[in-house]
Amino acid sequence: MPNCLVLNGHPLSPSFSGAAADRYAKTLETKGITVRRLELADMNVPEMTTRKPGGSEMAGDVLAFWEAMVWADHVVIVHPLWWGSMPAKLKALFDIGLQSGKAYRYQDGRPLPLGLLAGRSVRLIVTSDTPNWFMASFYRNAHFRTMTNQILKFIGLKPVRITHLSVMRGSTPAQRDKLLARTAADAAADAARMRAKPRVPLAA
């Protein structure tokens, strides 16, 4: 059966991001998908790092993240929108764990790199206080486009499907239950796609 990494990218616990990650993961498990969970709040991610090919500085929780990315057929990243972007700790995990020579590789004569995690799909789940219409009309879905084109597709993950859970601020328990139900519905749809798609191995 397919493998799925569910990364709760909220640096604090408990959180609604954690609840969404839990609902997504449990829905997949009922569909026979093998799930591996990572909780950013519990991970040790160095604040300072250098960017270079190879894995000399990749160890501990960062190495576990990378190994889970390679293992997965489908990747789920859940995080809150803070200051128009992801939390700094999640960005640091990407900086260290998605290395040149491992997650992507530049080729002579080509401006864009080869994404070495090709063949894996991804679901981005973002919680925020910004209504969908405002996010699209005023911010032009800036964070979603950055995540899709400059991080996820850059390393070969596609298609990228996005779930925007809003508005969190002032939401009632009933409204949050509806957001979790939407998350579960997206998880069920993703599970069906996973079962129908053969695995593509890591690029050489």
Side-chain angles (χ1 to χ4, degrees):
M1 294 301 291
N3 299 327
C4 177
L5 165 63
V6 177
L7 170 63
N8 173 19
H10 200 301
L12 304 175
S13 182
S15 68
F16 188 77
S17 293
D22 189 59
R23 180 66 63 89
Y24 191 102
K26 288 182 177 179
T27 301
L28 288 191
E29 289 171 343
T30 66
K31 305 297 183 181
I33 307 298
T34 302
V35 176
R36 186 179 297 183
R37 291 282 301 272
L38 289 177
E39 300 287 333
L40 186 66
D42 299 330
M43 298 173 70
N44 180 22
V45 180
E47 294 181 1
M48 301 297 292
T49 182
T50 57
R51 290 298 303 266
K52 59 185 180 181
S56 59
E57 75 275 12
M58 196 186 298
D61 291 334
V62 176
L63 179 60
F65 162 71
W66 170 248
E67 290 176 341
M69 291 286 287
V70 174
W71 166 85
D73 299 293
H74 179 68
V75 176
V76 183
I77 301 168
V78 188
H79 74 79
L81 192 71
W82 287 1
W83 295 109
S85 186
M86 71 187 84
K89 187 176 180 181
L90 180 58
K91 179 61 164 56
L93 178 64
F94 292 162
D95 286 344
I96 304 168
L98 301 178
Q99 296 181 1
S100 174
K102 288 183 176 292
Y104 64 95
R105 181 178 67 243
Y106 281 100
Q107 304 175 89
D108 292 340
R110 297 187 179 183
L112 296 178
L114 175 67
L116 300 180
L117 290 175
R120 293 155 179 81
S121 55
V122 59
R123 169 73 63 177
L124 177 65
I125 302 176
V126 178
T127 66
S128 84
D129 296 331
T130 306
N132 280 309
W133 67 268
F134 197 95
M135 184 76 76
S137 299
F138 288 85
Y139 297 145
R140 306 295 182 187
N141 290 324
H143 175 63
F144 301 152
R145 288 188 287 109
T146 297
M147 284 290 291
T148 296
N149 297 314
Q150 294 180 267
I151 298 179
L152 302 173
K153 286 186 176 180
F154 195 89
I155 60 175
L157 299 178
K158 61 182 180 180
V160 179
R161 295 183 173 89
I162 298 172
T163 302
H164 181 209
L165 303 179
S166 70
V167 176
M168 297 307 306
R169 186 171 184 268
S171 60
T172 65
Q175 289 170 329
R176 293 191 173 206
D177 284 344
K178 288 183 179 180
L179 294 177
L180 291 176
R182 179 184 167 195
T183 302
D186 287 343
D190 289 344
R193 296 185 188 100
M194 276 184 269
R195 291 195 301 267
K197 181 181 178 182
R199 172 70 181 273
V200 177
L202 189 69

